[in-house]
Amino acid sequence: MQSPDPASLAGVLRANTTDGAAVLARQAIALLRDYVARAPTDGLHAATADCAHVLAEARPDMAAVGNLVRCWHDSFAWPDADFRASALAHCDAVLDRAERALAETLADARSRLASLTADSEVLTHSASSTVRATVAGLPFRLLVTASEPGGEGRRFAAEMGARCLEDDEGPAAAAEAAAVVVGADAIGAEAFVNKVGTRVLGEAARRARTPFYVVAESYKWLPPTQPLIAGGPFEAVPNALVTAFLCDRTPGVSFRPVSG
């Protein structure tokens, strides 16, 4: 079986313009696992390190991808014996920890929204998979902005059976909603990155004293020395607008994707 090329694996991540940061981060670890499973034994130690580096740099616009791959790299023991089996097991441990991070994040977020009733409206922007899992099955009415360019909010609304608003209707809806809930592709010390149009919703929510929540697993948080990258259809949104970051652990604590 031919070994996959790290550059082609990175291309898979770059070509994925549908999924959000959390899904892409887990996909990066799955691609690394596939590489380790299929690569030749000779030189596997160095080749795995190189593949991890290439995957970590594949999507600088989504810090979660690099963070999760670097967590794998930095927490791996890099043994000389049984290297392949150890590396595969460590990929599985990281994926397991990422799933537990999601579960803990959802528990926090759903607990925060649990008091909302069927008469309440919650507004979201873009199509975060973490937000999707947060709101699924809760009784309030979901409003989704169209989220142009791209319009992924339209598809998200259709899939969730929610009402879709044009983007210019979003600020007024934020002022009237019981809460605004969005995801994040990266979170820095002063701002977080999400789809263009998020900031105006946060500003409208603050003026109206509407709770403005960001639901994001801890591996989306950037180390203090890592710059926040926002461009194209993404923008930096000041953390000062956020009522609370709903997360699997206290922001700023390093993510440790190990079992136990």
Side-chain angles (χ1 to χ4, degrees), residues 218-235:
S218 60
Y219 55 81
K220 295 179 181 178
W221 287 82
L222 293 171
T225 57
Q226 188 173 337
L228 192 71
I229 298 175
F234 301 97
E235 66 181 355

Side-chain angles (χ1 to χ4, degrees), residues 148-167:
E148 302 293 354
E152 68 274 9
R154 299 184 193 278
R155 297 186 293 275
F156 183 54
E159 291 165 4
M160 299 296 291
R163 179 184 168 198
C164 183
L165 306 177
E166 295 303 320
D167 289 340

Side-chain angles (χ1 to χ4, degrees), residues 90-114:
H90 195 56
C91 287
D92 292 338
V94 170
L95 289 171
D96 178 69
R97 181 63 185 94
E99 290 297 332
R100 285 190 286 136
L102 174 61
E104 293 166 14
T105 298
L106 295 181
D108 185 14
R110 289 173 70 87
S111 174
R112 190 67 64 106
L113 300 174

Side-chain angles (χ1 to χ4, degrees), residues 142-225:
L142 184 66
L143 306 177
V144 186
T145 53
S147 311
E148 302 293 354
E152 68 274 9
R154 299 184 193 278
R155 297 186 293 275
F156 183 54
E159 291 165 4
M160 299 296 291
R163 179 184 168 198
C164 183
L165 306 177
E166 295 303 320
D167 289 340
D168 59 5
E169 299 178 279
E176 297 295 328
V180 178
V181 182
V182 298
D185 291 297
I187 306 171
E190 303 295 332
F192 71 96
V193 173
N194 200 47
K195 185 70 181 284
V196 166
T198 303
R199 180 169 183 157
V200 295
L201 299 183
E203 292 170 343
R206 180 173 63 177
R207 289 193 297 270
R209 298 186 178 180
T210 301
F212 182 61
Y213 298 123
V214 176
V215 183
E217 299 91 323
S218 60
Y219 55 81
K220 295 179 181 178
W221 287 82
L222 293 171
T225 57

Side-chain angles (χ1 to χ4, degrees), residues 8 48 72 80 120 127 225 234 239 254:
S8 67
T48 298
W72 180 93
D80 292 326
S120 304
T225 57
F234 301 97
N239 290 346
S254 60

Side-chain angles (χ1 to χ4, degrees), residues 109-135:
R110 289 173 70 87
S111 174
R112 190 67 64 106
L113 300 174
S115 63
L116 300 183
T117 67
D119 295 327
S120 304
E121 291 184 332
V122 171
L123 177 68
T124 191
H125 183 64
S126 193
S128 164
S129 63
T130 309
V131 170
R132 178 195 296 266
T134 295
V135 303

